[in-house]
Amino acid sequence: MSYTLSHEQLSEIEEILQHNLIDLGVHCVFLIDMAGNIIANHDNGESSHDIYSLAALAAGNFGAVTAMAKIIGEGEFSLLFHKGEKENIHFSKILSDYLLITIFGNDISLGFLRLKVADVVEKTNKILGSFDAE
Amino acid sequence: MAFINMKKKEVQVKVVYYGPGRGGKTSNLEYIYKKFRERIQTEMITVKTHGDRTLFFDFLPFDIGKINGYDVKIQLYTVPGQVKYNATRRLVLRGVDGIVFVADSMVIRKDKNILSIKNLEENLTDYKKSISKIPLVIQYNKIDLAEQGIPVLSFEEMEKDLNSVLKAPSFSASAITGVNVVQTMKKIIAMTIASIKQELK
Ligand SMILES: Nc1nc2c(ncn2[C@@H]2O[C@H](COP(=O)(O)OP(=O)(O)OP(=O)(O)O)[C@@H](O)[C@H]2O)c(=O)[nH]1
Ligand SMILES: [Mg+2]
């Protein structure tokens, strides 16, 4: 079994990521599914992360955090964010099966990033909403 | 579930090594990593405890080149085999396309193997998948121990314990010496690709 997105859907998603996140100074952004597959990714041309490993770890990490939330009686945590010295990483769930991961520097405030991510999530929702991965 | 990227002409496939704790799942991936070092561009990712037991998973991406014009990326994962880690084991199984069940040939692990394959069946059912339908290869690991005089189960006995109903392709192997490690991997890749090939047009 497998699933796919059309050329047009992917182009549309990439356009949204570029325009709403990369153009604002985000270093790297990728959209994955909960199995750890990369659906779309974009960067500013300067970052060279091992995104396949990042995707596998992010999917696992998100799954673990969601399971923790359930144990303490929360549906899920609304803010998932790791702060580093130079780089920060932010996770946002899209529908039930996808995760948007953003890597950005300290020149962007978390509040601003969250606003932009919310925007992207809403737009991407419409494209991904036409089907569900699992 | 495999993701086919029509734009990049790329397929990502998830293969999970499953089995009882200390059975040799991580050792399988370590052998593959060593053997194909020049082909694997990235580091192997392992999330483990101090004592080398897998805590969450190991991850090794393996590019096998093009099929029908698509770049095929095989993502190899292991689960933590210890009974208490079932929650994380289930997470790793999410979206799985093919499974290698690594059984431990040591006589003292007979029951653990049987429990583990039952646990696999249950966890797959949670994802509405069936152990008899998903591409599956069974590996009887640690056969090298027989030479050291350690009691091991015979191939026939393990087949009877684990594979009498499933009738999956099976191999005797040693993840330490490398016997049948690559063959096991090639078999599961071939079966998994075959299961999605119609969709690669
Ligand atoms: N003799 C021998 N030892 C093996 C073989 N495969 C694995 N081992 C040893 O068995 C022990 C456990 O191997 P791992 O690969 O860590 O087992 P695992 O299945 O990943 O275990 P968990 O992470 O706890 O689920 C290690 O000490 C390995 O060196 C084998 O084919 N022969
Ligand atoms: Mg392990």
Side-chain angles (χ1 to χ4, degrees):
Chain A
M1 263 225 298
S2 66
Y3 75 102
T4 183
L5 289 168
S6 72
H7 202 290
E8 291 73 39
Q9 286 172 311
L10 286 168
S11 297
E12 233 179 299
I13 291 173
E14 283 169 10
E15 171 67 33
I16 293 169
L17 299 182
Q18 174 74 41
H19 184 75
N20 292 276
L21 294 166
I22 299 295
D23 287 354
L24 297 176
V26 163
H27 295 164
C28 174
V29 55
F30 46 111
L31 178 68
I32 69 172
D33 66 21
M34 295 299 180
N37 293 314
I38 296 176
I39 293 167
N41 64 286
H42 245 307
D43 60 54
N44 61 1
E46 284 161 34
S47 69
S48 57
H49 302 301
D50 172 8
I51 54 167
Y52 287 93
S53 299
L54 267 173
L57 288 163
N61 179 57
F62 191 83
V65 171
T66 305
M68 280 195 279
K70 282 206 187 104
I71 290 173
I72 65 163
E74 286 286 327
E76 61 196 22
F77 298 118
S78 55
L79 176 62
L80 283 175
F81 169 65
H82 298 299
K83 181 155 180 48
E85 217 157 275
K86 292 199 198 92
E87 298 275 354
N88 310 290
I89 187 162
H90 179 272
F91 305 85
S92 191
K93 193 175 174 184
I94 305 185
L95 300 172
S96 56
D97 283 312
Y98 307 95
L99 201 55
L100 182 74
I101 299 155
T102 323
I103 300 171
F104 60 101
N106 292 330
D107 50 330
I108 298 178
S109 79
L110 179 60
F112 183 65
L113 181 97
R114 288 181 78 187
L115 264 171
K116 285 296 160 188
V117 164
D119 217 23
V120 168
V121 168
E122 200 189 309
K123 288 180 175 135
T124 324
N125 245 331
K126 294 200 184 105
I127 302 169
L128 294 172
S130 46
F131 74 94
D132 244 335
E134 250 172 335
Chain B
M1 193 158 44
F3 177 63
I4 304 176
N5 189 320
M6 294 290 181
K7 198 173 171 204
K8 280 202 217 156
K9 286 256 167 190
E10 178 193 276
V11 192
Q12 296 165 62
V13 172
K14 183 170 187 174
V15 170
V16 175
Y17 282 65
Y18 207 95
R22 288 200 204 282
K25 301 174 292 296
T26 299
S27 304
N28 262 271
L29 257 61
E30 280 170 347
Y31 183 84
I32 292 164
Y33 186 42
K34 251 190 283 161
K35 177 102 188 165
F36 296 98
R37 195 70 197 251
E38 52 322 325
R39 260 176 67 181
I40 300 173
Q41 305 293 332
T42 57
E43 295 288 304
M44 176 167 157
I45 300 287
T46 70
V47 187
K48 60 189 176 190
T49 64
H50 285 309
D52 253 17
R53 311 294 303 270
T54 304
L55 180 62
F56 204 151
F57 59 79
D58 304 302
F59 172 74
L60 187 63
F62 194 81
D63 294 359
I64 58 164
K66 284 196 196 310
I67 294 179
N68 291 4
Y70 286 84
D71 257 320
V72 180
K73 292 190 181 305
I74 308 288
Q75 326 266 35
L76 303 174
Y77 287 79
T78 74
V79 297
Q82 293 180 80
V83 174
K84 63 183 172 191
Y85 292 146
N86 197 45
T88 46
R89 204 154 42 237
R90 207 181 303 130
L91 283 176
V92 179
L93 271 188
R94 186 159 182 176
V96 63
D97 298 299
I99 292 168
V100 173
F101 184 83
V102 180
D104 194 325
S105 297
M106 285 198 284
V107 169
I108 52 163
R109 298 282 161 78
K110 183 180 164 85
D111 295 341
K112 289 230 164 89
N113 292 330
I114 297 170
L115 282 177
S116 176
I117 206 162
K118 282 209 182 106
N119 170 258
L120 168 62
E121 182 168 8
E122 286 162 15
N123 281 337
L124 284 172
T125 309
D126 272 3
Y127 288 116
K128 302 188 175 58
K129 283 185 173 148
S130 156
I131 194 173
S132 53
K133 293 209 186 92
I134 195 160
L136 171 73
V137 172
I138 300 182
Q139 181 189 73
Y140 305 126
N141 189 34
K142 305 195 185 176
I143 44 157
D144 60 290
L145 288 177
E147 287 159 28
Q148 299 171 39
I150 294 171
V152 297
L153 299 157
S154 69
F155 184 82
E156 290 72 27
E157 185 167 357
M158 299 196 84
E159 283 279 290
K160 197 162 140 262
D161 280 352
L162 306 168
N163 203 15
S164 60
V165 180
L166 295 171
K167 305 251 185 284
S170 57
F171 295 91
S172 291
S174 167
I176 295 298
T177 63
V179 174
N180 277 342
V181 169
V182 174
Q183 286 83 343
T184 303
M185 178 185 69
K186 283 193 172 155
K187 187 72 190 169
I188 193 60
I189 291 176
M191 288 169 72
T192 310
I193 297 293
S195 74
I196 60 163
K197 201 152 186 185
Q198 297 96 308
E199 291 149 84
L200 298 184
K201 290 200 191 93

